[in-house]
Amino acid sequence: MKHLPFEEAVAVLDWACHTRRLDEVDLHRLCARLPKPLRRIAEWVDRDCESVLESIVRTRLRLLGYEVVSQVPVDTVRSIDLVVDGVLGLELDGRAYHESSFESDREKDLAIVLEGRSAMRVSYGMVRRDWPRVEQGIAAAVAMHRGHRRASGMPERHRRLQTP
């Protein structure tokens, strides 16, 4: 584990804890054997995280200073993959698990918005190939939800519509 990039090491530990291959005691025993600078990795582990993609995105966002919570309930039967700063419901989709759930995914997005959050859906490919743009989108969504629109990022026709 000490040879993996940090976000991947967290993902491995998330998965091990989520699948109950590693309990809390074992996690801390394992971390105690790591070199001192790496021992605090246990603070980054989230047993509620349900996928490697969620884990990597959660870790990247936390490193950027966002508050990120995994698997937050929405409506009565579903959970949001990640909630960022309490205002953005971030759904992370791999094609293998979401190709057949198009309609229910849109219903979930609607439930997220009806509960007062912005909704964003990001694919594995977007995270892998275009992380800086995904990061910009997350920052913009959080800012917009809080009422901090960036005029420079808005097309001219939208700026005119918003002018009183």
Side-chain angles (χ1 to χ4, degrees), residues 28-90:
H28 289 287
R29 281 187 189 143
L30 172 71
C31 291
R33 293 192 322 247
L34 293 172
K36 194 166 186 157
L38 300 177
R39 290 181 189 160
R40 295 188 66 182
I41 196 170
E43 297 170 13
W44 291 77
V45 174
D46 182 353
R47 67 181 61 255
D48 291 333
C49 191
E50 294 185 350
S51 77
V52 171
L53 181 60
E54 289 174 29
S55 182
I56 287 174
V57 170
R58 186 190 81 246
T59 300
R60 287 180 181 181
L61 292 174
R62 286 188 63 200
L63 286 167
L64 291 169
Y66 290 99
E67 176 189 324
V68 186
V69 181
S70 299
Q71 300 303 317
V72 176
V74 64
D75 63 32
T76 57
V77 293
R78 296 176 273 224
S79 295
I80 304 167
D81 291 341
L82 301 174
V83 172
V84 182
D85 280 1
V87 299
L88 174 62
L90 185 60

Side-chain angles (χ1 to χ4, degrees), residues 5 8 20 44 51 62 87 117 127 144-145 148 162-163:
E8 291 178 26
R20 301 188 197 291
W44 291 77
S51 77
R62 286 188 63 200
V87 299
R117 294 183 175 99
V127 170
M144 284 190 306
H145 194 278
H148 303 289
Q162 291 187 347
T163 304

Side-chain angles (χ1 to χ4, degrees), residues 103-154:
E103 192 68 26
S104 65
D105 286 347
R106 296 319 164 279
E107 290 170 3
K108 187 178 191 180
D109 292 346
L110 180 58
I112 290 168
V113 171
L114 290 172
E115 289 190 4
R117 294 183 175 99
S118 297
M120 181 183 288
R121 196 165 286 276
V122 177
S123 71
Y124 169 83
M126 293 165 69
V127 170
R128 183 171 165 86
R129 290 186 311 272
D130 202 5
W131 175 251
R133 191 161 179 245
V134 170
E135 188 180 313
Q136 283 180 314
I138 291 168
V142 169
M144 284 190 306
H145 194 278
R146 293 190 171 144
H148 303 289
R149 289 185 176 22
R150 291 181 319 141
S152 63
M154 217 178 290

